[in-house]
Amino acid sequence: MAEEIKLIGMWASPFNCRIQLALKLKGVEYEYIEEDLSKKSDLLLKYNPIHQKIPVLVHNGKSISESLVILEYIDETWKNNPVLPQDSYSSAVARFWAKFVDEKMLQTAIKASKAEGEEKEKLSEDVNQDLKLLENELKGNKFFGGENIGYLDIVTFSIVYWFKVANEAFQKEFISEDKFPALYKWIENMSPIDVVKESLPPKDKHVAFIRAHIH
């Protein structure tokens, strides 16, 4: 019997992009269902009644929510092209940094986007410090996963790319080659890969969306 795989998402969401990238890396065919978050569908409420947020992966009628959880589920379910490291310690380290990206760096950046004056400067500097920590974690590798795209690459790129587009939308520099040479090179390594490009929103549409929703 054929597997039924659906992804409920929203095109501009970095969390949605990371799930699409993981599925494409695995070569998993799925049905994509676009969600209007201003008027949540019965389908979303059925499959994620707790948080009522995207993305939601539906596999043979069973739903999985929260992007980091979904990524781990995908890796455990489809064993080809593993994204989490195979040894327990390296896997734990990748999970640690993924939580750091979502719970520390992203949340600080969101606060910075809404702040003003000295508070904005302080929070922006905190984001830069977080980026420096990530820069060090690359350790001279092509990807966080070594020679191949891994779990932390998927998690981090979805957020860093969103930051990059947001800064372009307001004509600001984000990650320069001078300040973050390793991250800059890493973005260059990730960006031209076909499955990565296929997972990203259309650039002009994305810029317009961010301009309309961030002030």
Side-chain angles (χ1 to χ4, degrees):
M1 189 175 74
E3 288 188 297
E4 181 191 47
I5 303 156
K6 298 178 181 178
L7 174 61
I8 305 171
M10 186 271 177
W11 68 272
S13 166
F15 307 106
N16 182 63
C17 293
R18 61 175 57 158
I19 304 307
Q20 290 188 295
L21 175 52
L23 289 168
K24 289 177 188 297
L25 279 168
K26 296 279 188 178
V28 177
E29 292 188 11
Y30 62 96
E31 177 189 354
Y32 178 69
I33 302 168
E34 178 70 18
E35 179 68 26
D36 181 356
L37 294 177
S38 66
K39 186 183 179 184
K40 295 176 181 177
S41 68
D42 291 340
L43 194 67
L44 178 63
L45 300 179
K46 173 187 175 182
Y47 284 121
N48 190 4
I50 307 298
H51 295 299
Q52 302 179 8
K53 295 192 299 187
I54 57 92
V56 179
L57 184 72
V58 183
H59 184 201
N60 294 334
K62 296 179 179 178
S63 62
I64 306 96
S65 304
E66 299 297 308
S67 66
L68 296 184
V69 177
I70 297 171
L71 286 177
E72 293 182 26
Y73 178 85
I74 289 170
D75 206 37
E76 291 168 3
T77 303
W78 294 280
K79 304 292 188 182
N80 62 307
N81 299 333
V83 294
L84 273 163
Q86 298 301 287
D87 69 284
S88 299
Y89 177 73
S90 298
S91 179
V93 170
R95 286 181 171 99
F96 169 85
W97 283 107
K99 286 178 74 70
F100 172 84
V101 169
D102 277 9
E103 296 178 8
K104 174 72 166 62
M105 188 178 77
L106 175 59
Q107 297 309 314
T108 304
I110 290 170
K111 289 177 185 174
S113 71
K114 296 174 181 177
E116 296 180 358
E118 288 185 9
E119 184 188 7
K120 190 179 190 74
E121 287 183 21
K122 167 68 169 63
L123 289 166
S124 296
E125 182 53 36
D126 288 346
V127 173
N128 281 335
Q129 291 302 319
D130 291 343
L131 288 167
K132 284 178 184 175
L133 292 171
L134 277 175
E135 171 107 348
N136 292 337
E137 190 58 23
L138 268 168
K139 300 184 175 110
N141 293 322
K142 184 176 182 180
F143 303 110
F144 286 103
E147 285 302 305
N148 298 304
I149 296 175
Y151 177 78
L152 187 54
D153 295 288
I154 295 169
V155 171
T156 306
F157 188 76
S158 64
I159 301 301
V160 167
Y161 180 81
W162 196 92
F163 285 171
K164 185 171 180 285
V165 174
N167 278 267
E168 285 180 24
F170 298 105
Q171 298 182 325
K172 296 176 183 176
E173 187 175 53
F174 173 48
I175 292 181
S176 68
E177 190 170 9
D178 291 339
K179 284 177 70 175
F180 303 105
L183 280 172
Y184 187 89
K185 181 64 176 174
W186 169 74
I187 292 170
E188 284 194 332
N189 290 334
M190 289 284 291
S191 298
I193 297 170
D194 286 343
V195 288
V196 174
K197 290 191 291 186
E198 291 166 10
S199 305
L200 296 173
K203 185 71 168 292
D204 291 346
K205 185 181 177 184
H206 201 190
V207 167
F209 176 85
I210 288 173
R211 281 181 180 150
H213 289 82
I214 297 180
H215 304 288

